[in-house]
């Protein structure tokens, strides 16, 4: 593997590719897009200001994004690593780099929403020091959601 990391934004074509994959994945988890329709507007790729994409040579293999939630909090969005590249610590590296970026901008806390069913994601966040918090809007009414946070 020859990994490289590129900073971009939510309008990047490679991020759009990952966005579509994650949309399909989340729809499968909840039993269809209908069950997520009230949350889709909170996850549009164009609202994700900072994106980090990981490439193996020129092939995009993973991503993670940041979206401002408040003056002190930034939300982690769309952490994804292609299945054939998992278990190689790529998600860990993406998260470490995105945390450094958030801290350099001046954010104090990283927040995120995931689901219990996404066990490997929950485990990764716990390893990185994220702790469960009360659900924050708009996920405070989303059944099966868990919210996590980490002070940086």
């Amino acid at each position: 593997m020859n990994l490289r990391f590129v900073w971009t934004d939510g309008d990047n074509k490679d991020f759009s590719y990952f966005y579509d994959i994650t949309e399909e994945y989340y729809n499968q988890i909840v039993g269809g897009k209908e069950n997520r329709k009230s949350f889709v507007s909170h996850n549009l790729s164009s609202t994700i200001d900072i994106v980090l994409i990981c490439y193996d040579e020129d092939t995009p293999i993973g991503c993670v994004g940041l979206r401002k939630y408040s003056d002190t909090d930034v939300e982690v969005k769309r952490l994804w690593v292609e299945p054939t590249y998992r278990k190689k610590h790529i998600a860990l590296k993406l998260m470490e780099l995105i945390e450094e970026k958030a801290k350099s901008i001046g954010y104090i806390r990283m927040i995120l929403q995931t689901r219990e069913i996404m066990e490997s994601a929950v485990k990764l966040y716990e390893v990185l020091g994220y702790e469960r918090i009360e659900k924050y809007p708009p996920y405070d009414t989303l059944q099966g959601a868990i919210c996590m946070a980490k002070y940086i």
Side-chain angles (χ1 to χ4, degrees):
M1 277 191 315
N2 185 15
L3 300 182
R4 65 185 177 92
F5 296 87
V6 175
W7 293 102
T8 186
D9 60 29
D11 294 325
N12 176 281
K13 71 175 178 57
D14 291 332
F15 184 66
S16 293
Y17 164 76
F18 288 125
Y19 178 84
D20 291 342
I21 289 173
T22 56
E23 278 296 293
E24 184 177 315
Y25 177 73
Y26 298 142
N27 289 340
Q28 288 176 353
I29 287 175
V30 301
K33 189 174 185 173
E34 261 316 289
N35 296 331
R36 295 181 58 239
K37 66 180 177 184
S38 63
F39 299 97
V40 171
S41 66
H42 300 285
N43 291 295
L44 299 175
S45 62
S46 61
T47 67
I48 302 173
D49 305 316
I50 298 169
V51 171
L52 179 60
I53 299 177
C54 179
Y55 293 86
D56 182 6
E57 300 287 341
D58 293 324
T59 303
I61 62 168
C63 68
V64 66
L66 290 178
R67 184 176 66 195
K68 181 179 180 174
Y69 188 79
S70 71
D71 289 342
T72 58
D73 293 348
V74 66
E75 188 176 21
V76 177
K77 305 300 290 183
R78 303 297 169 143
L79 177 62
W80 182 262
V81 174
E82 292 284 51
T84 56
Y85 285 88
R86 292 182 185 166
K87 306 227 184 277
K88 299 177 191 290
H89 307 290
I90 294 168
L92 180 70
K93 186 64 177 174
L94 284 164
M95 286 299 295
E96 288 172 350
L97 292 170
I98 207 88
E99 287 176 4
E100 289 173 15
K101 176 67 107 176
K103 189 174 185 176
S104 75
I105 294 170
Y107 289 108
I108 296 170
R109 188 172 76 146
M110 310 272 292
I111 61 173
L112 60 90
Q113 178 270 323
T114 189
R115 294 179 159 274
E116 289 285 354
I117 195 169
M118 299 171 68
E119 294 174 5
S120 59
V122 173
K123 185 175 181 181
L124 171 69
Y125 297 134
E126 288 172 343
V127 164
L128 287 168
Y130 287 77
E131 296 180 352
R132 292 176 190 231
I133 59 171
E134 280 192 46
K135 294 181 196 178
Y136 56 88
Y139 308 109
D140 49 346
T141 61
L142 181 59
Q143 189 172 11
I146 60 170
C147 292
M148 303 177 87
K150 175 182 178 179
Y151 285 93
I152 52 172

